[in-house]
Amino acid sequence: MTTVSKPCFNTNTAFEPLGIRGPTVFFFSNLHTDHDRTQTLHVGMGSKTPKNESHTGGNDPSSSTKANAAIGGEQRGVHLARDGDGSLGDYDGDDDEDDRSAGTATVPLTSQGSTTVSQKKKKKKFKKKTTVPKQSSPPRVPLTRLFPTGQYPVGEIQSYDSGVENTARTTAEEHRYDERVCMQDDTFRQNYRKAAEIHRQVRHWAQETIQPGQTLTEIAFGIEDGVRSLLDNAGLEPGSCLQSGMGFPTGLALNNCVAHYTPNPGQKDIILQQSDVMKVDFGVHINGWIVDSAFTMSFEPTYDNLLAAVKDATNTGIRNAGVDVRISDISAAIQEAMESYEVDINGRTIPVKAVRGLSGHDIKHYQIHGTKSIPFTKNNNQTKMEEGEIFAIETFGTTGRGHLIDGPGVYGYAKDPFAPKRINTNLASARSLYKTITDNFGTIPFARRYLERLGVERYLAGMNNLVSQGLVEVYQPLMDVAGSYSAQFEHTILLGESSKEVVSRGDDY
């Protein structure tokens, strides 16, 4: 049987014949057999409790104890506790069940012993738990709160193909490179990575929440409100949209509308259907440097191969991109990957075609489209990519003809990069509108609803005047043949000296 120590407490006289006075603690060790019990009496000072257990109630020393402590010397019976448990002989007696279950009572015999015990007790210091902020749904927590150090996630780093070397650098290249942004500038890179992380978080929410039955207006506002919230910039103060904001109007093109559709005031609202294939294309800019990334959503497995073809083509373009690579080589690789896929729709096997008339592009400061283009079909363009450039590698695939025409309505507008700061026109509304565009968007594309957010009214006549003078460019939806379906995937890459960073890469695509 297990040996159990069981205390008995007596304050004064129980063991006076033994010469022990004052408060005492007795421990009885019970060795149990079937019928016999042998109890050993232990006498000691202070408490004899299980390890790490203490009792504080009713432990004030008696007046006689205090007197003995003041005079000095050792109290009777103390040496027994110091030198070990003292056995005072056998003790016969029966204990009832209540005595067996009694706990150990702690009675310090001197104030000094009490002080020693109290010194061993250390109060635990409870540290305040620091909660790590998490993104809300819909996304409304500014990214600076999620990344207080200002260091943002690095995109996917890809080394250049060993077969691609700098074989034909020209003297003029050094001059051109000096005019571009230095990729070693940490502020530049962190701003780009911040914009990319905002894109990832907003699109993650969009992919989880967008469902058939929603209007395209509802979807567009949800994405744009998310971007502005994470930037912590509503974009309503003069000039604030130039500091950060949308890189261009949110594109929500359905089915045979391949690109450049966004809901605008005055248009009939469109409701997303279960059978729709929707391209979601939006940009985020900080200080004029734009992250341009797009993906495609479908709600039926019929279109899985179409999406897979375009995603493969985009990733092929990214793998082949690099310093001194010819654009014609990238285009050929894209087309080969894209057109190796087929789609079965309603019992018909349809080859996926690369779209003509659209292309990937380089990105300039405050300009979503630079001067270099990467078509999705074979060509003879011998222009090379160069170190320090920023490219949007995107591809479009379709089950239609692959040739596009302008559709009805307006997608958005953009001020011409070479337009003057001031204009001379007799139309006052055009002058006022031009100043609003210059102060709030510069050369970044914008939609009609962006103007209305700023409180601009009756702007159509002035806008038409600016378009007719070539000061502002208008963009229309781009359409393939009716009944066809199209898809898009896109990433932004930064070309460094020895590697490229796919800054907008995520777990989704």
Side-chain angles (χ1 to χ4, degrees):
M1 295 290 293
T2 306
T3 301
V4 179
S5 295
K6 183 171 64 178
C8 292
F9 178 69
N10 193 335
T11 59
N12 282 310
T13 61
F15 283 83
E16 284 190 11
L18 299 178
I20 300 174
R21 295 177 180 272
T24 56
V25 178
F26 305 100
F27 292 85
F28 292 91
S29 299
N30 298 345
L31 302 175
H32 297 282
T33 62
D34 291 340
H35 301 287
D36 300 328
R37 280 196 304 265
T38 302
Q39 296 185 340
T40 304
L41 174 63
H42 301 284
V43 182
M45 177 182 70
S47 63
K48 191 175 183 68
T49 60
K51 189 175 183 180
N52 296 332
E53 183 180 342
S54 62
H55 304 274
T56 57
N59 293 342
D60 291 334
S62 64
S63 60
S64 62
T65 303
K66 293 179 182 178
N68 290 336
I71 296 172
E74 195 172 53
Q75 198 171 9
R76 293 179 182 178
V78 173
H79 69 283
L80 298 176
R82 187 185 67 246
D83 299 333
D85 293 340
S87 178
L88 301 180
D90 294 339
Y91 176 81
D92 288 333
D94 291 333
D95 298 322
D96 56 21
E97 292 300 323
D98 292 337
D99 290 338
R100 289 195 194 102
S101 62
T104 302
T106 303
V107 182
L109 299 181
T110 65
S111 58
Q112 183 179 359
S114 177
T115 304
T116 304
V117 173
S118 64
Q119 285 177 348
K120 293 181 180 179
K121 296 177 182 177
K122 293 183 178 179
K123 293 183 179 180
K124 294 182 179 179
K125 294 181 180 180
F126 294 96
K127 295 181 179 180
K128 293 182 179 180
K129 294 183 178 179
T130 55
T131 56
V132 179
K134 294 183 179 180
Q135 190 51 262
S136 61
S137 180
R140 294 294 182 268
V141 181
L143 208 67
T144 52
R145 289 180 56 188
L146 303 181
F147 297 90
T149 62
Q151 299 294 309
Y152 299 97
V154 179
E156 180 191 24
I157 303 297
Q158 292 187 9
S159 298
Y160 294 135
D161 189 346
S162 58
V164 178
E165 298 292 343
N166 301 336
T167 57
R169 297 207 173 206
T170 62
T171 305
E173 179 191 344
E174 296 180 3
H175 176 69
R176 291 194 299 269
Y177 177 70
D178 289 340
E179 293 178 347
R180 299 190 189 93
V181 65
C182 179
M183 290 294 176
Q184 302 303 319
D185 182 10
D186 187 63
T187 301
F188 166 82
R189 282 191 174 272
Q190 292 304 327
N191 281 340
Y192 240 115
R193 290 166 182 167
K194 178 181 179 181
E197 180 63 19
I198 290 173
H199 197 286
R200 277 189 292 269
Q201 293 194 15
V202 172
R203 78 186 189 224
H204 175 74
W205 169 80
Q207 291 162 355
E208 286 188 337
T209 58
I210 292 176
Q211 295 293 334
Q214 290 181 289
T215 66
L216 298 193
T217 300
E218 179 184 356
I219 296 170
F221 274 112
I223 290 172
E224 292 166 358
D225 288 346
V227 169
R228 295 185 182 109
S229 295
L230 270 59
L231 286 168
D232 201 16
N233 181 8
L236 296 175
E237 298 297 325
S240 59
C241 289
L242 292 174
Q243 297 171 4
S244 63
M246 301 303 299
F248 48 86
T250 301
L252 300 172
L254 300 180
N255 306 325
N256 67 310
C257 180
V258 178
H260 291 178
Y261 179 85
T262 197
N264 269 310
Q267 297 176 340
K268 182 180 179 181
D269 211 349
I270 297 175
I271 299 176
L272 184 65
Q273 304 296 322
Q274 180 73 25
S275 59
D276 285 336
V277 178
M278 180 172 66
K279 283 77 63 184
V280 182
D281 187 2
F282 68 96
V284 182
H285 93 86
I286 296 177
N287 295 327
W289 293 108
I290 306 169
V291 168
D292 185 1
S293 189
F295 59 96
T296 301
M297 299 184 69
S298 66
F299 308 96
E300 294 183 354
T302 303
Y303 312 105
D304 287 353
N305 249 25
L306 173 61
L307 272 62
V310 181
K311 187 183 294 185
D312 185 10
T314 297
N315 286 329
T316 298
I318 292 171
R319 283 195 303 271
N320 282 270
V323 175
D324 281 345
V325 176
R326 291 180 175 83
I327 286 177
S328 58
D329 295 336
I330 301 173
S331 297
I334 287 173
Q335 184 176 12
E336 182 179 0
M338 176 94 67
E339 297 185 350
S340 65
Y341 287 79
E342 295 177 335
V343 184
D344 292 326
I345 300 177
N346 297 327
R348 293 177 54 208
T349 300
I350 305 172
V352 178
K353 294 181 180 178
V355 172
R356 279 75 171 166
L358 288 174
S359 63
H361 49 89
D362 65 333
I363 298 174
K364 301 283 190 181
H365 199 207
Y366 285 105
Q367 295 180 46
I368 186 60
H369 290 164
T371 56
K372 295 183 179 179
S373 298
I374 307 175
F376 316 138
T377 56
K378 294 179 180 179
N379 58 78
N380 296 320
N381 190 341
Q382 298 299 301
T383 304
K384 293 181 179 182
M385 290 181 164
E386 299 177 64
E387 180 184 347
E389 289 183 322
I390 305 160
F391 274 89
I393 304 294
E394 65 180 325
T395 65
F396 291 84
T398 179
T399 62
R401 297 174 181 172
H403 296 280
L404 307 181
I405 60 173
D406 290 338
V410 171
Y411 163 69
Y413 307 90
K415 178 184 170 183
D416 187 277
F418 302 102
K421 292 183 178 181
R422 297 176 179 272
I423 60 170
N424 293 319
T425 178
N426 294 328
L427 193 60
S429 61
R431 292 195 302 271
S432 174
L433 180 61
Y434 189 77
K435 185 179 186 305
T436 299
I437 294 171
T438 301
D439 292 345
N440 290 278
F441 307 110
T443 53
I444 291 178
F446 59 93
R448 286 179 178 175
R449 63 176 181 275
Y450 294 4
L451 290 174
E452 297 192 1
R453 285 187 79 245
L454 298 174
V456 180
E457 299 177 347
R458 300 177 182 178
Y459 53 82
L460 289 180
M463 185 68 74
N464 291 336
N465 181 274
L466 298 177
V467 171
S468 65
Q469 295 187 61
L471 301 171
V472 171
E473 186 175 359
V474 60
Y475 299 95
Q476 294 179 262
L478 298 174
M479 314 292 294
D480 201 344
V481 62
S484 63
Y485 298 89
S486 55
Q488 172 195 15
F489 282 93
E490 179 179 22
H491 276 301
T492 297
I493 66 172
L494 312 178
L495 297 180
E497 181 180 1
S498 58
S499 63
K500 57 202 164 193
E501 181 176 350
V502 189
V503 70
S504 56
R505 180 74 80 187
D507 295 333
D508 47 355
Y509 65 92

